Amino acid sequence: MYLADSEATRQAGQALATVLRAGDLILLQGDLGAGKTTWTQGLAEGLGVLEPVTSPTFVIISEYDSGRLPLYHIDAYRLDNPVEAELLGIPELIEGEGVTVIEWPERLEGYLPEDALVISLTYEGGARTLSAIDRGQSDILKRGGQSCIF
């Protein structure tokens, strides 16, 4: 899916929020500046989160409880190994009552559940694109029908 600007990136996140359920896991891939946090801000808006959503790069985990579902926004960029995820309580968040979005999931490869929606954002030459695939038993994209096609 082509995303013309940051507003389109937000809108893509908003559209997906309408079909999310407790326990959904989204693995968000993309280089620095690809739009991962912007997309997550749109998802948060779609969930009804009232607080400003910022990149959790330095805090690693940001929790937002004001929306339809809790949102756990995790940035794994600074984690050196999956054991750190265990110490931070990331497994409990993934299995919790909210939606978990993990930026830089490749840093936790082999540690995360198989069932997840994988979203890849790329930004090259002024153009941003988004692709998504359900992995394992995840059915997030199927739930949305035409409303959240990527």
Side-chain angles (χ1 to χ4, degrees):
M1 163 184 229
Y2 170 76
L3 302 168
D5 54 23
S6 27
E7 183 56 31
T9 305
R10 281 182 191 273
Q11 288 173 353
Q14 287 175 333
L16 184 65
T18 64
V19 300
L20 293 177
R21 299 179 188 154
D24 283 341
L25 174 61
I26 300 166
L27 306 180
L28 196 51
Q29 301 174 330
D31 291 334
L32 289 170
K36 296 181 300 294
T37 298
T38 301
W39 182 89
T40 304
Q41 290 168 337
L43 181 96
E45 289 170 21
L47 288 173
V49 170
L50 301 174
E51 308 96 277
V53 173
T54 58
S55 175
T57 299
F58 296 104
V59 295
I60 301 176
I61 301 171
S62 294
E63 297 183 42
Y64 304 95
D65 294 320
S66 61
R68 174 176 67 83
L69 295 166
L71 173 61
Y72 310 119
H73 186 194
I74 300 167
D75 187 327
Y77 185 77
R78 293 179 44 225
L79 300 181
D80 291 323
N81 62 63
V83 173
E84 290 177 313
E86 183 80 32
L87 296 172
L88 290 169
I90 291 174
E92 289 81 14
L93 294 177
I94 291 171
E95 295 169 7
E97 295 299 315
V99 172
T100 304
V101 174
I102 301 178
E103 296 186 26
W104 302 99
E106 58 274 13
R107 304 284 289 180
L108 302 175
E109 193 160 324
Y111 180 77
L112 298 172
E114 181 62 27
D115 301 336
L117 174 64
V118 179
I119 294 181
S120 298
L121 288 162
T122 59
Y123 186 72
E124 293 181 33
R128 181 172 285 130
T129 57
L130 180 150
S131 62
I133 186 166
D134 280 318
R135 187 176 84 175
Q137 298 296 311
S138 176
D139 67 348
I140 296 171
L141 292 177
K142 293 176 190 163
R143 288 183 222 152
Q146 295 294 319
S147 67
C148 68
I149 291 179
F150 295 113

